[in-house]
Amino acid sequence: MSKKYLNKAIQTIPPSGIRKFFNLASQIEGVVSLGVGEPDFETPWHIREAAIYAIENGKTYYTNNLGLYELRKGICDYYKRRYDLNYNPNENCIITVGASEGIDLVMRSILDEGDEVIILNPSYVAYDPCIRLAKGVPVPIDLKEENRFKLLPEDLEAAITDKTKMLFINFPSNPTGGVMDKEDYEKLIPIIKKYDLVVLSDEIYAELSYGKKFTSIASFDEIKDQVIILNGFSKAYSMTGWRLGYLLAHKDLVKEINIIHQYGIMCASTISQYAGIEAINNGDRDCEIHKESFMQRRNFIVSGLNRMGLTCHLPEGAFYVFPSIKKAGLTSEEFCERLLNEEKVAVVPGNAFGKCGEGYIRISYAYSIEEIKEALSRIEKFLNRL
């Protein structure tokens, strides 16, 4: 088909750098893949059982566009229980098809053509395209390893123009594992208030914060009505394939978001929502068990990478490491392609997450210790040859 039939914006967006290497790895036998951010745990049985029970009892009809009330209430209770934040299930919560739909809904609900959205690079690969598809303009701030990939107030203020409408943050971060604590956010609040910015806070890795309690930027009353929380069930509960996410926001914004959602999607999967009810109400212990395992894997992989000369800070959240490969003398893509072809290890080049990711690679440790150990052994062989 001729490109003249295609949306011009889509033609400017490259394929996902994550999926590129995942697809390559799937074609090579014997590959150890540490590329995809998907927990290796099965969805806990009591959550699966809730979905089975829903099917057996014929709970397979459309739900309210906003989602099942029991699920929305469970989410609001969860944010009160875990983070002391108050949201009303009838006004402030909408269930989405994964957190990914939530990003798209927010961008299309808020952005007019030419509006600027500040994003933090390195950042998850979907942020920039979703902004551009909504006719917004992504404005990246390059986060630095020496600052532990935190957002500094002076960098935020320097990026703001008269066209800036939104700040899009993700802590704990994919791909760096960086975290912002309460003291870090306190320095940003006056700037957000001064410029009246909407803040979209991707908190999908909130339960995977190591060594300190997670802080949501919505915890600050003076800007809470400007904050949209984006979250989901994929990472904390090992429910990637269930495609279940949610947004928490001011009631006026939820109404607008729901207009797009009800025409484009209608509602998230009913079966997934029943599984979500069980997870959000009775899954706190599952989250703790998963986090303890990820901490062990994190410590193991960081120690191994630093020992072989790939300098890597200790991430404080999520399940990724972002080591520097600059001393190898290869670009990020060259490093990953050669590592895949020569040692059959799949990781993701850092520049897939923005230009400032050049010189780094992202490795997911959401895999077993045995797989991580084998991958580290192969990486070390590769480095020794270089």
Side-chain angles (χ1 to χ4, degrees):
M1 179 181 286
S2 170
K3 286 190 175 182
K4 73 178 182 179
Y5 296 112
L6 301 178
N7 183 307
K8 291 184 174 60
I10 294 176
Q11 296 180 51
T12 68
I13 296 173
S16 163
I18 298 175
R19 284 291 157 182
K20 172 185 174 182
F21 277 85
F22 177 78
N23 293 339
L24 286 172
S26 66
Q27 299 169 22
I28 301 174
E29 189 175 346
V31 167
V32 179
S33 178
L34 303 183
V36 179
E38 182 171 38
D40 64 334
F41 303 107
E42 290 184 340
T43 304
W45 169 246
H46 66 102
I47 298 173
R48 287 180 279 155
E49 189 175 39
I52 293 168
Y53 182 83
I55 294 170
E56 288 178 339
N57 286 272
K59 297 180 178 181
T60 56
Y61 299 100
Y62 294 134
T63 72
N64 184 303
N65 294 137
L66 292 174
L68 289 168
Y69 173 79
E70 296 93 329
L71 179 55
R72 286 179 280 129
K73 184 179 185 302
I75 289 166
C76 293
D77 290 346
Y78 163 85
Y79 257 84
K80 177 63 178 177
R81 180 174 76 247
R82 302 291 277 184
Y83 310 122
D84 198 28
L85 284 168
N86 293 305
Y87 288 99
N88 184 317
N90 285 321
E91 297 181 342
N92 304 125
C93 183
I94 181 170
I95 309 303
T96 61
V97 180
S100 299
E101 190 211 354
I103 298 172
D104 179 58
L105 289 174
V106 170
M107 295 308 165
R108 288 199 284 158
S109 299
I110 290 178
L111 298 183
D112 290 310
E113 187 169 2
D115 285 342
E116 293 180 353
V117 180
I118 294 172
I119 61 174
L120 311 181
N121 277 354
S123 65
Y124 178 54
V125 295
Y127 296 167
D128 181 292
C130 282
I131 293 165
R132 288 195 276 150
L133 288 171
K135 298 186 178 179
V137 179
V139 177
I141 294 177
D142 291 348
L143 305 184
K144 297 179 175 60
E145 185 179 9
E146 56 264 33
N147 298 323
R148 302 190 68 80
F149 297 106
K150 295 176 182 283
L151 173 60
L152 303 183
E154 57 268 29
D155 292 336
L156 172 59
E157 189 146 27
I160 295 171
T161 73
D162 58 359
K163 294 182 179 179
T164 306
K165 189 176 252 186
M166 185 190 301
L167 167 64
F168 192 172
I169 61 174
N170 168 220
F171 293 106
S173 166
N174 173 11
T176 68
V179 166
M180 295 279 282
D181 54 33
K182 184 177 180 182
E183 292 72 24
D184 298 319
Y185 281 135
E186 284 174 344
K187 300 170 186 176
L188 303 181
I189 302 307
I191 301 170
I192 293 167
K193 192 69 177 173
K194 175 182 176 182
Y195 294 98
D196 195 26
L197 301 180
V198 176
V199 181
L200 176 56
S201 178
D202 182 347
E203 301 181 359
I204 194 75
Y205 296 100
E207 285 289 354
L208 299 177
S209 298
Y210 310 122
K212 61 180 68 175
K213 185 175 175 60
F214 170 76
T215 298
S216 172
I217 197 169
S219 301
F220 297 87
D221 289 339
E222 54 267 54
I223 65 161
K224 183 184 175 187
D225 286 348
Q226 296 166 231
V227 176
I228 305 163
I229 290 175
L230 170 72
N231 209 328
F233 292 76
S234 293
K235 313 301 182 180
Y237 302 101
S238 198
M239 292 176 66
T240 52
W242 299 82
R243 307 314 304 133
L244 193 64
Y246 57 90
L247 295 166
L248 294 169
H250 188 276
K251 63 180 182 179
D252 293 342
L253 183 54
V254 170
K255 286 180 182 178
E256 298 303 313
I257 288 173
N258 193 37
I259 291 172
I260 301 174
H261 175 71
Q262 68 185 359
Y263 287 121
I265 296 295
M266 188 174 290
C267 66
S269 160
T270 303
I271 308 307
S272 294
Q273 290 189 57
Y274 278 107
I277 292 169
E278 175 64 22
I280 206 75
N281 289 327
N282 301 304
D284 288 2
R285 181 57 185 151
D286 299 310
C287 294
E288 292 300 323
I289 292 170
H290 294 172
K291 182 167 77 169
E292 289 169 11
S293 179
F294 286 135
M295 284 182 66
Q296 294 173 0
R297 302 176 196 193
R298 176 198 65 164
N299 296 341
F300 182 80
I301 196 169
V302 169
S303 174
L305 290 168
N306 282 316
R307 177 182 52 77
M308 67 180 73
L310 294 183
T311 56
C312 180
H313 80 285
L314 187 69
E316 296 179 86
F319 41 58
Y320 309 101
V321 287
F322 204 62
S324 170
I325 50 95
K326 295 174 184 176
K327 62 174 57 179
L330 302 172
T331 68
S332 293
E333 292 223 6
E334 288 170 343
F335 186 97
C336 292
E337 287 175 0
R338 286 189 56 180
L339 180 63
L340 179 60
N341 291 324
E342 295 176 27
E343 289 295 338
K344 297 185 178 181
V345 176
V347 296
V348 183
N351 64 343
F353 306 95
K355 291 181 181 179
C356 73
E358 180 56 57
Y360 296 85
I361 58 174
R362 191 197 77 171
I363 305 176
S364 169
Y365 53 88
Y367 298 87
S368 70
I369 287 288
E370 289 72 23
E371 289 173 289
I372 294 170
K373 186 182 294 185
E374 177 62 26
L376 288 175
S377 174
R378 297 185 189 189
I379 292 170
E380 189 164 24
K381 288 179 186 176
F382 175 68
L383 291 173
N384 287 338
R385 284 202 305 278
L386 289 180

